[in-house]
């Protein structure tokens, strides 16, 4: 009998262990506009991101980790739905009064995890719209449909972007701290003729605009769009990161006894870059890099919360970004002037808004201490693969008509030996198919009305890639030419035709899974 006790105990421990790792907590940290080269684990040398680096050295660092688009809304649409955004109208950069662009009956990543017993939350930037199509957000009433209607149990949001009005938090269905006596109005035009804007009151601004961003002023900064009211609800830009961490801590502590899924959607380093005072000036490279340091701090805090709660070994963290880097995205914050030799897009060409690699090939790290072996992975994975991969992790079958482009790359994400990533990938710019990238193995097709002369995207553009509009498809061999400098279209016409055929088929077939 006495002999048996330890074996029963160890059996119990073993089954507990299986139960614990069977359904690990999942945290997806999606950064905003952070490029491949913006993390020291990926080669940044002018500053350090020690916490993100800890994820990288303790987990799998992917050299071919992608966002599916080079702007925010389409990448986030695909992250949650597993379907390429170009398949759905209206998935370009969402405006301040944009409606929810994911249909409530779409099977989403949080839906699948909920079915598997997970508590689900999104904290941070949303930018997928709120409210019904044709109606949009009811800022003073119930903001639905929104995240709660597509699978999240809890939401604490920056509803659009920090440069789009209004600067308020949304908690679940409501604007947080909204005083009914001071209703919030949001619109596309001046509410009255002498409403102060970034044009009429430019001399009062604490951060000047360079293009766009000259409508309603809040916190000394003019934004995209107009609003009035809701004063008690308005945030300070400086406090956003602290708020995401505070709300995450609260929600994790409340939900740590069941498996949970948290989408931590940082706004850093999207413009206007106004990190908390304690990060201002710290990098010496201006607000852009200060904001990256603030993001890195958030990552460290999240890791610490897991440690404090004793759940670090039972939590998988994915670190990724929504699109490539940009220097001047509408405000004069000296991002370009203070860049020095830092390369936000690493070895690639292009950045935000581009389908060259720099627009979508981004830091991508998976971390699960005790389960994921540390290492570097050259396998191709993308943010919208998390739907199929996590469905597999938690034993949920993907419905046939859901997640139409999501590939189960779980083994690669977990760093299992000989695991394979995806074979091919379509990337897009903003909206519905103006530009496409198509990568298969080492080959890359670049198609479309190129915005590579776009001033906002102008990061380290090689001379060769400055094209005019409606240029023909181009073909690159990434293994020898990672910066996509040498168009091989005329040298390898058969390869070009094959790649064109495949891209056309993926677009035409309506699904790639
Ligand atoms: C662009 C904005 C840019 C940024 C972007 C969305 C102008 C001139 N530019 O239209 O500043 O807000 O939209 O960025 O207004 S994203 O990362 O959320 O996709
Ligand atoms: Ca973005």
């Amino acid at each position: 009998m006495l002999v048996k006790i330890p074996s029963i105990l160890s059996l119990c421990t073993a089954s507990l262990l299986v139960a614990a790792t069977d359904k690990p907590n999942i945290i997806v940290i999606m950064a905003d506009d952070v490029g491949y080269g913006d993390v020291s684990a990926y080669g940044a040398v002018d500053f350090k991101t020690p916490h993100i680096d800890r994820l990288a050295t303790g987990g799998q660092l992917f050299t071919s980790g992608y966002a599916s688009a080079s702007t925010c809304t389409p990448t986030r649409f695909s992250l949650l739905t597993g379907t390429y955004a170009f398949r759905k109208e209206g998935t370009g950069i969402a405006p301040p009064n944009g409606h929810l662009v994911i249909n409530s009956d779409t099977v989403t990543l949080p839906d699948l995890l909920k079915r598997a017993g997970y508590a689900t939350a999104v904290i941070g930037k949303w930018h997928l719209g709120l409210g019904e199509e044709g109606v949009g957000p009811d800022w003073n009433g119930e903001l639905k449909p929104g995240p709660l209607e597509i699978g999240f149990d809890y939401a604490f949001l920056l509803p659009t972007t920090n440069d789009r009005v209004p600067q308020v938090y949304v908690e679940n269905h409501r604007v947080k701290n909204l005083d009914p006596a001071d209703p919030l109005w949001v619109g596309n035009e001046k509410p009255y003729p002498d409403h102060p804007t970034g044009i009429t009151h430019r001399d009062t601004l604490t951060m000047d605009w360079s293009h766009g961003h000259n409508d309603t002023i809040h916190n000394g900064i003019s934004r995209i769009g107009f609003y009035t009211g809701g004063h008690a609800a308005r945030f300070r830009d400086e406090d956003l990161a602290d708020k995401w961490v505070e709300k995450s801590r609260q929600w994790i502590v409340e939900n740590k006894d069941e498996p949970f899924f948290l989408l931590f959607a940082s706004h850093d380093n999207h413009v206007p870059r106004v990190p908390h005072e304690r990060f201002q000036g710290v990098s010496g490279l201006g607000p852009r890099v200060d904001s990256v340091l603030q993001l890195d701090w958030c990552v460290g805090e999240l890791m610490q919360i897991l440690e404090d709660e004793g759940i670090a070994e039972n939590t998988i963290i994915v670190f990724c970004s929504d699109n490539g880097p940009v220097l001047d995205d509408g405000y004069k914050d000296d991002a370009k002037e203070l860049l020095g030799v830092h390369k936000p897009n690493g070895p690639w060409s292009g950045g935000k808004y581009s389908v060259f690699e720099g627009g979508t090939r981004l830091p991508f790290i998976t971390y699960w201490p005790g389960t994921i072996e540390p290492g570097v992975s050259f396998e191709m994975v993308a943010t919208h693969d998390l739907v199929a991969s996590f469905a597999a992790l938690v034993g949920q079958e993907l419905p046939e008509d859901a997640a139409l482009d999501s590939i189960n790359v779980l083994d690669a994400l977990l760093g299992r030996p000989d695991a394979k990533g995806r074979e091919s990938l379509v990337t897009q710019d903003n909206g519905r198919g103006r530009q496409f990238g198509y990568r298969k193995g080492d080959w890359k097709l670049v198609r479309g009305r190129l915005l590579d002369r776009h001033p906002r995207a102008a990061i380290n553009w090689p001379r060769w890639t400055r094209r005019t509009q409606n240029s023909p498809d181009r073909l690159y061999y990434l293994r020898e030419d990672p910066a996509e400098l040498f168009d091989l279209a005329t040298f390898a016409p058969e390869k070009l035709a094959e790649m064109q055929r495949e891209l056309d088929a993926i677009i035409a077939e309506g699904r790639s899974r």
Side-chain angles (χ1 to χ4, degrees):
M1 201 52 201
L2 269 178
V3 182
K4 284 234 153 187
I5 289 169
S7 59
I8 289 170
L9 268 181
S10 60
L11 267 179
C12 290
T13 328
S15 65
L16 271 179
L17 265 180
V18 172
T21 52
D22 209 21
K23 292 201 174 152
N25 307 310
I26 299 170
I27 299 183
V28 174
I29 303 171
M30 181 168 266
D32 202 345
D33 299 2
V34 167
Y36 191 93
D38 280 326
V39 169
S40 40
Y42 278 85
V45 289
D46 301 303
F47 57 91
K48 288 259 171 273
T49 51
H51 300 294
I52 304 171
D53 289 5
R54 260 200 296 150
L55 295 179
T57 52
Q60 288 281 313
L61 178 153
F62 288 83
T63 61
S64 284
Y66 288 83
S68 52
S70 59
T71 58
C72 171
T73 303
T75 287
R76 285 161 207 263
F77 172 88
S78 302
L79 167 77
L80 295 181
T81 63
T83 296
Y84 285 136
F86 63 77
R87 302 205 190 281
K88 187 167 194 278
E89 203 79 56
T91 50
I93 296 171
N97 272 331
H99 64 270
L100 178 66
V101 295
I102 300 176
N103 295 343
S104 302
D105 57 2
T106 304
V107 176
T108 63
L109 176 59
D111 276 334
L112 289 159
L113 293 172
K114 243 166 101 117
R115 288 177 192 177
Y118 278 65
T120 56
V122 51
I123 294 175
K125 176 172 175 171
W126 180 240
H127 208 193
L128 289 166
L130 294 166
E132 299 284 356
E133 187 165 358
V135 182
D138 175 5
W139 295 107
N140 300 290
E142 281 212 301
L143 289 161
K144 62 193 255 192
L148 269 49
E149 285 64 42
I150 59 155
F152 288 104
D153 298 321
Y154 177 71
F156 191 90
L157 310 174
L158 165 66
T160 57
T161 61
N162 42 333
D163 59 347
R164 282 177 178 71
V165 298
Q167 276 61 49
V168 297
Y169 297 118
V170 168
E171 188 170 37
N172 296 328
H173 286 143
R174 297 255 165 205
V175 170
K176 177 99 176 155
N177 295 333
L178 185 66
D179 175 2
D182 180 28
L184 181 58
W185 172 89
V186 177
N188 299 329
E189 280 166 28
K190 275 193 188 196
Y192 48 88
D194 57 353
H195 176 79
T197 68
I199 295 174
T200 61
H201 289 65
R202 196 164 186 174
D203 55 341
T204 68
L205 302 176
T206 54
M207 185 185 282
D208 197 7
W209 51 273
S210 57
H211 51 263
H213 304 92
N214 48 28
D215 302 333
T216 293
I217 301 169
H218 170 68
N219 200 21
I221 301 165
S222 49
R223 319 276 169 156
I224 301 173
F226 299 90
Y227 70 126
T228 58
H231 288 87
R234 297 188 186 192
F235 58 65
R236 269 186 359 130
D237 303 80
E238 291 86 339
D239 298 327
L240 287 171
D242 284 351
K243 194 52 106 182
W244 310 145
V245 169
E246 175 200 321
K247 289 291 160 188
S248 298
R249 176 176 287 115
Q250 219 173 312
W251 188 80
I252 290 172
V253 169
E254 280 165 17
N255 290 279
K256 65 176 182 192
D257 294 333
E258 45 190 332
F260 65 76
F261 164 58
L262 169 64
L263 172 56
F264 183 92
S266 167
H267 68 296
D268 283 318
N269 67 102
H270 197 284
V271 296
R273 300 164 181 133
V274 189
H276 191 269
E277 285 81 354
R278 67 185 187 281
F279 294 103
Q280 292 180 15
V282 170
S283 71
L285 296 172
R288 181 174 187 280
V289 177
D290 292 345
S291 300
V292 173
L293 299 188
Q294 175 168 270
L295 162 73
D296 185 62
W297 170 82
C298 292
V299 172
E301 289 300 293
L302 288 172
M303 293 172 83
Q304 192 57 49
I305 295 167
L306 301 178
E307 288 290 336
D308 293 347
E309 300 306 319
I311 52 177
E313 304 234 317
N314 191 27
T315 304
I316 176 169
I317 299 178
V318 178
F319 178 86
C320 57
S321 179
D322 69 338
N323 54 250
V326 56
L327 297 175
D328 178 350
D329 207 16
Y331 293 98
K332 295 182 187 168
D333 64 4
D334 287 342
K336 217 174 221 160
E337 292 74 5
L338 296 172
L339 191 64
V341 298
H342 174 57
K343 286 195 159 58
N345 54 358
W348 323 128
S349 286
K352 186 171 181 174
Y353 312 110
S354 160
V355 292
F356 286 112
E357 293 289 283
T360 54
R361 193 157 166 185
L362 305 169
F364 196 116
I365 302 166
T366 56
Y367 176 82
W368 183 359
T371 301
I372 294 182
E373 287 282 328
V376 173
S377 174
F378 304 101
E379 294 303 315
M380 183 156 47
V381 297
T383 44
H384 62 292
D385 292 332
L386 296 182
V387 181
S389 305
F390 285 150
L393 175 70
V394 303
Q396 284 295 310
E397 207 171 310
L398 267 188
E400 192 49 29
D401 58 351
L404 302 175
D405 301 293
S406 187
I407 306 293
N408 175 3
V409 292
L410 180 64
D411 286 346
L413 296 178
L414 298 183
R416 290 186 175 143
D418 303 323
K420 289 274 163 264
R422 43 166 63 238
E423 282 176 9
S424 67
L425 172 73
V426 178
T427 55
Q428 63 174 91
D429 64 333
N430 185 38
R432 209 159 178 261
R434 290 183 306 175
Q435 303 185 69
F436 289 109
Y438 175 59
R439 178 175 165 194
K440 188 179 185 198
D442 288 319
W443 291 95
K444 169 87 180 283
L445 183 74
V446 169
R447 165 174 296 177
R449 184 178 75 79
L450 286 178
L451 296 179
D452 49 4
R453 298 181 58 110
H454 199 288
R456 267 102 80 187
I459 292 183
N460 308 347
W461 286 117
R463 268 184 159 286
W464 291 273
T465 60
R466 297 188 178 193
R467 311 284 164 154
T468 49
Q469 296 189 352
N470 302 317
S471 52
D473 289 1
R474 264 125 330 135
L475 183 69
Y476 299 98
Y477 188 60
L478 295 176
R479 181 186 291 248
E480 303 290 340
D481 179 23
E484 295 163 279
L485 299 179
F486 306 106
D487 178 9
L488 301 178
T490 51
F491 301 98
E494 278 165 26
K495 193 72 198 174
L496 175 72
E498 177 193 317
M499 297 285 281
Q500 288 171 322
R501 253 192 332 268
E502 289 178 8
L503 174 60
D504 289 341
I506 291 172
I507 294 170
E509 278 161 17
R511 62 185 301 150
S512 59
R513 172 172 77 81

